[in-house]
């Protein structure tokens, strides 16, 4: 029995903010941002949009693809929605990876999506694993399907509105992040998951190193440092990051995960069609590629357009590869995530 990806979707806000737009507001420049990160623009949600709204859009696109509707939403939102809602009835689990849920604690973003899709038989939950959120969510959903009990399909989403937790006066962090969502529908099929002709998710590795938790942290609002009634909040409400520490961790995490995935799946770099890494900084990917001696063209990057969209980055990239015809059946894809927690991990997927 294999767990195969049978639909993909994405959603990005239409408001595209370039480096020059940022440079008009804070002390930065297109040249600095591009040369230090590879980022050219980011898409930012308007005030009325929450993470579940982007998650829902991406989910509808993925579900509509399962129902045979592959056009862009713009070419027929109503038709797409009908196809998506029909396919949603067949979903057994909805798992959302996000570091920026609509609400702290509950309801989960997944429950909001479940309700709006009318996916009445689906159980729904969020996963907190920072930018590795999609990789953790995918393995959780696959594990639940592998338990059997007649369950066949899951909807896995990575969605973020990082612009809402970003300090827009801090040039060291605000230039890095963007908003977006990506989704996949996975199905348990009769194809083999190992040996000749293996398909789907053939390997997943998940890791955590909690000792580095302080290097990417939302310091306020949780049970450790709750907001207090009447308090004037002066600092600590935004995502805090130790850029250098995360950078060093990330280069090692990408290289170590790639090696471990290739070893455990019994493949070499030449067998892989695309490596889809989490994209926090193009230089992290380039440095890891150098360590691995894997050519840059193997890595699919869209950071120039979207910046770091955390848990959304990998499913968003998978949808672009899929819809743009850049992957064909049987291609081997390697995903690699890293981020808050600290967490990291990846998959080998035979498309
Ligand atoms: N525009 C212009 N100058 C900037 C700037 C910006 N947006 N941000 C920082 N600078 C300046 C700094 O103030 C510093 O100036 P100084 O030397 O006069 O003090 C200089 O650029 C170098 O800053 P530094 O922080 O050393 O830059 P860097 O090359 O290490 O790059 C990051 C910083 C954040 C891009 C890099 O550390 C990084 O990508 N880290 C990982 C981030 C990450 O992955 N986060 C998410 C994980 S999922």
């Amino acid at each position: 029995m294999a767990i195969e990806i049978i639909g993909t979707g994405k959603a990005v806000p239409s408001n595209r903010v370039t480096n020059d737009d940022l440079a008009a507001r804070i002390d930065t420049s297109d040249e600095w941002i591009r040369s230090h990160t590879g980022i050219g623009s980011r898409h930012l949600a308007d005030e009325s949009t929450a993470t579940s709204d982007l998650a829902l859009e991406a989910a509808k696109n993925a579900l509509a693809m399962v129902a045979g509707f592959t056009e862009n939403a713009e070419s027929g939102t109503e038709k797409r929605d009908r196809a998506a809602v029909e396919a949603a009835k067949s979903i057994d689990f909805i798992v959302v990876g996000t570091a920026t849920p609509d609400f702290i604690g509950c309801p989960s973003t997944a429950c909001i999506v479940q309700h709006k899709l009318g996916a009445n038989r689906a159980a729904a939950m969020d996963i907190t694993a920072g930018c590795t959120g999609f990789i953790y969510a995918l393995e959780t959903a696959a594990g639940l399907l592998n338990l059997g009990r007649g369950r066949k399909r899951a909807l896995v989403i990575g969605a973020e509105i990082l612009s809402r937790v970003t300090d827009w006066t801090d040039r060291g962090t605000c230039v890095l992040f963007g908003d977006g969502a990506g989704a996949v529908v996975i199905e348990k099929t009769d194809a083999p998951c190992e040996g000749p002709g293996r398909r789907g998710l053939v390997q997943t590795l998940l890791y955590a190193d909690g000792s580095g938790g302080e290097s990417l942290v939302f310091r306020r609002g949780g049970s450790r440092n709750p907001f207090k009634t009447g308090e004037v909040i002066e600092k600590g409400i935004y995502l805090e990051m130790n850029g250098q520490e995360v950078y060093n961790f990330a280069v090692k995490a990408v290289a170590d995960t790639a090696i471990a995935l290739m070893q455990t799946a019994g493949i070499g770099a030449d067998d892989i069609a695309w490596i889809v890494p989490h994209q926090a900084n193009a230089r992290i990917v380039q440095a890891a590629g150098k360590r691995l001696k894997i050519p840059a063209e193997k890595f699919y990057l869209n950071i120039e357009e979207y910046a770091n969209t955390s848990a959304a980055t990998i499913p968003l990239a998978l949808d672009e590869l899929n819809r743009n015809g850049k992957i064909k059946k049987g291609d081997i894809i390697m995903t690699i995530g890293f981020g808050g927690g600290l967490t990291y991990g990846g998959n080998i997927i035979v498309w």
Side-chain angles (χ1 to χ4, degrees):
M1 294 281 200
I3 302 288
E4 297 193 64
I5 293 177
I6 58 167
T8 61
K10 73 167 186 187
V12 283
S14 55
N15 177 27
R16 181 171 181 270
V17 177
T18 65
N19 293 340
D20 285 332
D21 294 334
L22 287 186
R25 303 205 294 253
I26 54 167
D27 182 15
T28 189
S29 66
D30 180 57
E31 192 283 318
W32 192 95
I33 302 171
R34 276 184 193 275
S35 60
H36 285 73
T37 70
I39 294 168
S41 61
R42 69 284 299 143
H43 291 243
L44 303 184
D46 62 33
E47 275 183 16
S48 66
T49 301
T51 297
S52 67
D53 298 318
L54 293 182
L56 181 68
E57 272 303 299
K60 281 179 176 174
N61 287 329
L63 286 163
M65 184 184 279
V66 170
F69 184 92
T70 50
E71 294 160 57
N72 290 328
E74 298 81 55
S75 60
T77 310
E78 259 180 54
K79 255 165 67 186
R80 190 237 14 208
D81 284 3
R82 269 202 304 277
V85 165
E86 195 50 40
K89 291 181 187 148
S90 67
I91 297 295
D92 299 296
F93 299 106
I94 300 175
V95 188
V96 177
T98 184
T100 50
D102 286 25
F103 301 101
I104 295 176
C106 61
S108 69
T109 305
C111 277
I112 298 167
V113 172
Q114 185 258 3
H115 168 61
K116 290 191 173 163
L117 282 173
N120 293 335
R121 66 185 246 200
M125 64 172 161
D126 289 358
I127 294 272
T128 306
C131 303
T132 324
F134 177 76
I135 306 284
Y136 268 67
L138 188 59
E139 182 67 348
T140 302
L144 288 167
L145 292 182
N146 275 329
L147 288 174
R149 303 184 182 134
R151 280 120 183 201
K152 265 187 82 94
R153 275 186 183 172
L155 172 63
V156 185
I157 306 170
E160 306 283 5
I161 298 203
L162 290 158
S163 60
R164 213 130 302 149
V165 295
T166 299
D167 180 352
W168 288 99
T169 64
D170 174 16
R171 68 176 183 173
T173 54
C174 77
V175 300
L176 302 174
F177 299 111
D179 303 332
V184 300
V185 178
I186 56 172
E187 182 173 77
K188 196 167 182 182
T189 70
D190 292 334
C193 62
E194 47 189 23
R198 63 186 178 170
R199 305 201 65 82
L201 272 175
V202 298
Q203 183 56 273
T204 298
L205 297 172
L206 300 177
Y207 306 100
D209 176 7
S211 70
E214 293 273 316
S215 51
L216 266 171
V217 59
F218 293 102
R219 219 166 276 287
R220 297 296 312 274
S223 62
R224 177 70 60 197
N225 289 304
F227 296 124
K228 298 187 181 78
T229 311
E231 174 189 22
V232 177
I233 299 162
E234 275 165 6
K235 63 184 198 102
I237 55 169
Y238 299 114
L239 176 64
E240 279 176 37
M241 181 182 79
N242 181 330
Q244 197 56 53
E245 236 169 74
V246 178
Y247 187 97
N248 294 337
F249 150 75
V251 174
K252 189 170 173 341
V254 173
D256 289 356
T257 304
I259 290 167
L261 280 169
M262 287 190 284
Q263 276 171 357
T264 50
I267 57 171
D270 290 345
D271 300 314
I272 299 170
W274 288 104
I275 299 175
V276 181
H278 174 55
Q279 296 167 42
N281 184 334
R283 283 166 57 210
I284 292 174
V285 179
Q286 284 149 8
K290 247 191 208 154
R291 260 192 213 191
L292 290 161
K293 300 193 174 60
I294 296 179
E297 307 81 68
K298 273 255 153 127
F299 292 86
Y300 182 77
L301 296 187
N302 57 13
I303 187 171
E304 185 180 5
E305 179 65 25
Y306 301 123
N308 177 358
T309 56
S310 189
T313 296
I314 290 172
L316 216 153
L318 287 177
D319 182 58
E320 288 190 338
L321 282 168
N322 191 23
R323 279 179 202 258
N324 295 339
K326 290 188 171 162
I327 25 181
K328 52 183 192 315
K329 244 186 167 17
D331 275 355
I332 297 179
I333 314 289
M334 177 193 278
T335 65
I336 307 173
F338 58 85
L342 298 169
T343 54
Y344 56 113
N347 316 102
I348 299 287
I349 302 164
V350 181
W351 203 258

